[in-house]
Amino acid sequence: MTEDPFTYDLAPDRDVITLHGELDEVASVELREVLTKVTDEFSSDLAIDLEHVTFMPSPAIGVLASSREKARRNGATMRFVAPDGTIAARLLTICGLEYAESL
């Protein structure tokens, strides 16, 4: 079990999901399922707040990148939000994935 388990909060209007904890390999599978569900198969817009993510290895980045691409192909927008100095901001920068620093 991880020290900081993966959880998420979905805004009532379903346009922002805030992720918390470690996005390890097991959490990455759950994340893919959650993103598919809350975006109606990647057909509705979504902002993903990554400020509280404490661990994000390559499988999680792969889920985020492929989910954004699926949304784009379906005419939807998926935005990543990662304040400067966070783990997510550093990793998204390294991977060349665009993100905003605030909602």
Side-chain angles (χ1 to χ4, degrees):
M1 176 161 231
T2 61
E3 290 184 28
D4 192 7
F6 169 64
T7 60
Y8 64 91
D9 299 311
L10 183 61
D13 55 7
R14 298 175 65 96
D15 67 343
V16 177
I17 188 168
T18 303
L19 308 182
H20 306 269
E22 297 182 4
L23 294 178
D24 59 16
E25 288 185 40
V26 173
S28 294
V29 172
E30 182 180 356
L31 177 60
R32 183 182 311 278
E33 293 168 357
V34 167
L35 294 178
T36 301
K37 180 179 176 185
V38 301
T39 61
D40 297 319
E41 299 290 328
F42 303 101
S43 63
S44 59
D45 297 344
L46 182 68
I48 303 173
D49 183 350
L50 300 161
E51 179 176 3
H52 305 288
V53 170
T54 57
F55 179 68
M56 194 166 71
S58 59
I61 294 169
V63 167
L64 293 173
S66 64
S67 296
R68 177 186 269 175
E69 179 57 23
K70 289 175 187 173
R72 186 195 62 77
R73 286 195 311 255
N74 289 328
T77 301
M78 186 171 286
R79 296 183 310 126
F80 306 140
V81 180
D84 191 40
T86 61
I87 289 170
R90 288 191 298 265
L91 292 171
L92 293 171
T93 298
I94 290 167
C95 294
L97 295 172
E98 289 184 21
Y99 65 94
E101 290 187 15
S102 65
L103 291 169

